[in-house]
Short mmCIF file of all heavy atoms in Angstrom, two decimals:
data_model
loop_
_atom_site.label_atom_id
_atom_site.label_comp_id
_atom_site.label_asym_id
_atom_site.label_seq_id
_atom_site.Cartn_x
_atom_site.Cartn_y
_atom_site.Cartn_z
N ARG A 25 106.12 115.49 101.19
CA ARG A 25 106.17 116.59 102.11
C ARG A 25 107.58 116.99 102.43
O ARG A 25 108.54 116.23 102.26
CB ARG A 25 105.48 116.21 103.44
CG ARG A 25 103.99 115.97 103.28
CD ARG A 25 103.35 115.38 104.51
NE ARG A 25 101.96 115.29 104.28
CZ ARG A 25 101.31 114.30 103.60
NH1 ARG A 25 102.06 113.35 103.01
NH2 ARG A 25 100.04 114.32 103.40
N PRO A 26 107.79 118.28 102.87
CA PRO A 26 109.10 118.68 103.24
C PRO A 26 109.58 117.91 104.49
O PRO A 26 108.78 117.38 105.24
CB PRO A 26 109.01 120.12 103.57
CG PRO A 26 107.54 120.34 103.82
CD PRO A 26 106.81 119.32 103.07
N PHE A 27 110.89 117.81 104.67
CA PHE A 27 111.41 117.19 105.93
C PHE A 27 111.01 118.01 107.10
O PHE A 27 110.79 119.25 106.95
CB PHE A 27 112.98 117.11 105.86
CG PHE A 27 113.47 116.26 104.73
CD1 PHE A 27 113.93 116.75 103.60
CD2 PHE A 27 113.40 114.80 104.88
CE1 PHE A 27 114.50 115.97 102.54
CE2 PHE A 27 113.87 113.98 103.82
CZ PHE A 27 114.37 114.59 102.71
N ASN A 28 110.72 117.39 108.15
CA ASN A 28 110.19 118.08 109.38
C ASN A 28 108.92 118.84 109.10
O ASN A 28 108.72 119.97 109.48
CB ASN A 28 111.29 119.02 109.98
CG ASN A 28 112.48 118.24 110.46
OD1 ASN A 28 112.34 117.24 111.12
ND2 ASN A 28 113.67 118.71 110.08
N ALA A 29 108.02 118.09 108.43
CA ALA A 29 106.69 118.76 108.05
C ALA A 29 105.91 119.12 109.29
O ALA A 29 105.08 120.06 109.21
CB ALA A 29 105.95 117.73 107.13
N TRP A 30 106.01 118.36 110.33
CA TRP A 30 105.11 118.59 111.49
C TRP A 30 105.99 118.93 112.72
O TRP A 30 107.20 118.59 112.76
CB TRP A 30 104.40 117.32 111.85
CG TRP A 30 103.38 116.93 110.84
CD1 TRP A 30 102.14 117.48 110.64
CD2 TRP A 30 103.53 115.86 109.87
NE1 TRP A 30 101.52 116.84 109.58
CE2 TRP A 30 102.31 115.91 109.06
CE3 TRP A 30 104.51 115.02 109.49
CZ2 TRP A 30 102.13 115.03 108.01
CZ3 TRP A 30 104.35 114.16 108.40
CH2 TRP A 30 103.18 114.18 107.66
N PRO A 31 105.39 119.52 113.69
CA PRO A 31 106.15 119.65 115.01
C PRO A 31 106.14 118.26 115.70
O PRO A 31 105.11 117.79 116.10
CB PRO A 31 105.29 120.65 115.78
CG PRO A 31 103.94 120.68 115.12
CD PRO A 31 104.09 120.22 113.72
N TYR A 32 107.36 117.61 115.70
CA TYR A 32 107.46 116.29 116.23
C TYR A 32 107.51 116.27 117.73
O TYR A 32 108.10 117.16 118.35
CB TYR A 32 108.66 115.59 115.63
CG TYR A 32 108.62 115.35 114.19
CD1 TYR A 32 109.58 115.98 113.36
CD2 TYR A 32 107.67 114.56 113.64
CE1 TYR A 32 109.54 115.80 112.01
CE2 TYR A 32 107.68 114.41 112.26
CZ TYR A 32 108.57 115.01 111.46
OH TYR A 32 108.51 114.78 110.08
N LEU A 33 106.87 115.29 118.33
CA LEU A 33 106.84 115.07 119.77
C LEU A 33 108.24 114.59 120.26
O LEU A 33 108.83 115.01 121.26
CB LEU A 33 105.82 114.12 120.15
CG LEU A 33 105.54 113.92 121.65
CD1 LEU A 33 105.00 115.23 122.29
CD2 LEU A 33 104.39 112.86 121.86
N HIS A 34 108.82 113.68 119.45
CA HIS A 34 110.19 113.13 119.71
C HIS A 34 110.91 113.16 118.37
O HIS A 34 110.26 113.15 117.31
CB HIS A 34 110.15 111.72 120.21
CG HIS A 34 109.22 111.57 121.41
ND1 HIS A 34 109.61 112.01 122.64
CD2 HIS A 34 108.04 110.94 121.57
CE1 HIS A 34 108.69 111.69 123.54
NE2 HIS A 34 107.73 111.07 122.86
N PRO A 35 112.26 113.14 118.37
CA PRO A 35 112.94 113.06 117.03
C PRO A 35 112.50 111.76 116.35
O PRO A 35 112.47 110.69 116.92
CB PRO A 35 114.41 112.98 117.43
CG PRO A 35 114.49 113.61 118.86
CD PRO A 35 113.17 113.26 119.46
N PRO A 36 112.27 111.94 115.01
CA PRO A 36 111.89 110.70 114.27
C PRO A 36 113.01 109.70 114.20
O PRO A 36 114.19 110.03 114.44
CB PRO A 36 111.63 111.23 112.84
CG PRO A 36 111.34 112.72 113.05
CD PRO A 36 112.16 113.12 114.21
N LYS A 37 112.69 108.41 113.95
CA LYS A 37 113.67 107.34 113.79
C LYS A 37 113.61 106.88 112.38
O LYS A 37 112.53 106.82 111.80
CB LYS A 37 113.43 106.27 114.83
CG LYS A 37 113.67 106.67 116.23
CD LYS A 37 113.54 105.49 117.21
CE LYS A 37 113.76 105.94 118.62
NZ LYS A 37 113.74 104.83 119.53
N ILE A 38 114.75 106.48 111.86
CA ILE A 38 114.87 105.99 110.47
C ILE A 38 115.16 104.50 110.47
O ILE A 38 116.15 104.08 111.06
CB ILE A 38 115.93 106.77 109.68
CG1 ILE A 38 115.68 108.26 109.75
CG2 ILE A 38 116.07 106.23 108.31
CD1 ILE A 38 114.50 108.73 108.92
N ALA A 39 114.27 103.77 109.80
CA ALA A 39 114.61 102.33 109.49
C ALA A 39 115.31 102.24 108.16
O ALA A 39 114.85 102.78 107.18
CB ALA A 39 113.25 101.55 109.48
N ARG A 40 116.38 101.57 108.17
CA ARG A 40 117.22 101.33 106.92
C ARG A 40 116.96 99.95 106.49
O ARG A 40 117.37 98.89 107.10
CB ARG A 40 118.66 101.53 107.26
CG ARG A 40 118.99 102.93 107.77
CD ARG A 40 120.49 103.25 107.87
NE ARG A 40 121.31 102.11 108.19
CZ ARG A 40 121.79 101.79 109.42
NH1 ARG A 40 121.44 102.48 110.46
NH2 ARG A 40 122.59 100.77 109.62
N VAL A 41 116.25 99.79 105.38
CA VAL A 41 115.88 98.50 104.81
C VAL A 41 116.83 98.12 103.69
O VAL A 41 116.97 98.84 102.65
CB VAL A 41 114.39 98.53 104.26
CG1 VAL A 41 114.05 97.24 103.60
CG2 VAL A 41 113.46 98.92 105.39
N GLN A 42 117.47 96.99 103.85
CA GLN A 42 118.46 96.52 102.88
C GLN A 42 117.72 95.74 101.79
O GLN A 42 116.96 94.84 102.11
CB GLN A 42 119.50 95.75 103.53
CG GLN A 42 120.30 96.48 104.57
CD GLN A 42 121.32 95.65 105.44
OE1 GLN A 42 121.05 94.51 105.68
NE2 GLN A 42 122.39 96.28 105.78
N CYS A 43 117.96 96.12 100.53
CA CYS A 43 117.26 95.46 99.41
C CYS A 43 118.09 95.71 98.15
O CYS A 43 119.01 96.51 98.11
CB CYS A 43 115.86 96.00 99.30
SG CYS A 43 115.75 97.75 98.90
N SER A 44 117.65 95.06 97.12
CA SER A 44 118.35 95.21 95.83
C SER A 44 117.88 96.54 95.16
O SER A 44 116.90 97.11 95.59
CB SER A 44 117.92 94.05 94.87
OG SER A 44 116.59 94.20 94.51
N ASP A 45 118.67 97.03 94.25
CA ASP A 45 118.32 98.23 93.53
C ASP A 45 116.94 98.13 92.88
O ASP A 45 116.14 99.01 92.78
CB ASP A 45 119.36 98.56 92.43
CG ASP A 45 120.67 99.02 93.00
OD1 ASP A 45 120.71 99.30 94.22
OD2 ASP A 45 121.70 99.12 92.24
N ASP A 46 116.71 96.90 92.33
CA ASP A 46 115.42 96.65 91.60
C ASP A 46 114.22 96.78 92.56
O ASP A 46 113.19 97.43 92.25
CB ASP A 46 115.42 95.25 91.00
CG ASP A 46 114.23 95.01 90.06
OD1 ASP A 46 113.94 95.85 89.21
OD2 ASP A 46 113.58 93.94 90.25
N VAL A 47 114.40 96.18 93.79
CA VAL A 47 113.27 96.25 94.77
C VAL A 47 113.05 97.75 95.14
O VAL A 47 111.87 98.29 95.29
CB VAL A 47 113.57 95.38 95.98
CG1 VAL A 47 112.65 95.71 97.15
CG2 VAL A 47 113.41 93.91 95.66
N ALA A 48 114.18 98.50 95.41
CA ALA A 48 114.11 99.85 95.80
C ALA A 48 113.40 100.69 94.73
O ALA A 48 112.48 101.50 94.97
CB ALA A 48 115.43 100.45 96.08
N ARG A 49 113.79 100.47 93.48
CA ARG A 49 113.17 101.24 92.36
C ARG A 49 111.67 100.94 92.23
O ARG A 49 110.80 101.86 92.14
CB ARG A 49 113.86 100.89 91.08
CG ARG A 49 113.35 101.75 89.83
CD ARG A 49 114.03 101.21 88.56
NE ARG A 49 113.99 99.83 88.33
CZ ARG A 49 112.94 99.09 87.91
NH1 ARG A 49 111.82 99.69 87.70
NH2 ARG A 49 113.10 97.80 87.75
N LYS A 50 111.33 99.61 92.20
CA LYS A 50 109.92 99.24 92.11
C LYS A 50 109.03 99.76 93.24
O LYS A 50 107.92 100.18 93.08
CB LYS A 50 109.76 97.73 91.96
CG LYS A 50 110.23 97.20 90.62
CD LYS A 50 110.12 95.71 90.58
CE LYS A 50 110.61 95.13 89.28
NZ LYS A 50 110.54 93.66 89.30
N THR A 51 109.62 99.70 94.43
CA THR A 51 108.82 100.16 95.61
C THR A 51 108.65 101.61 95.51
O THR A 51 107.49 102.12 95.74
CB THR A 51 109.65 99.77 96.93
OG1 THR A 51 109.81 98.37 97.02
CG2 THR A 51 108.94 100.34 98.14
#
């Protein structure tokens, strides 16, 4: 979906998950 697909009630929050390149690619 496009960014800001919906009218948000509150600004979204972003979780930054640290992982290897391999895990990121497979996920």
Side-chain angles (χ1 to χ4, degrees):
R25 291 173 176 78
F27 296 103
N28 297 315
W30 294 280
Y32 296 117
L33 190 60
H34 306 288
K37 292 186 179 181
I38 303 292
R40 300 186 331 262
V41 176
Q42 299 173 327
C43 63
S44 69
D45 290 348
D46 189 50
V47 166
R49 181 184 51 75
K50 287 178 181 176
T51 299

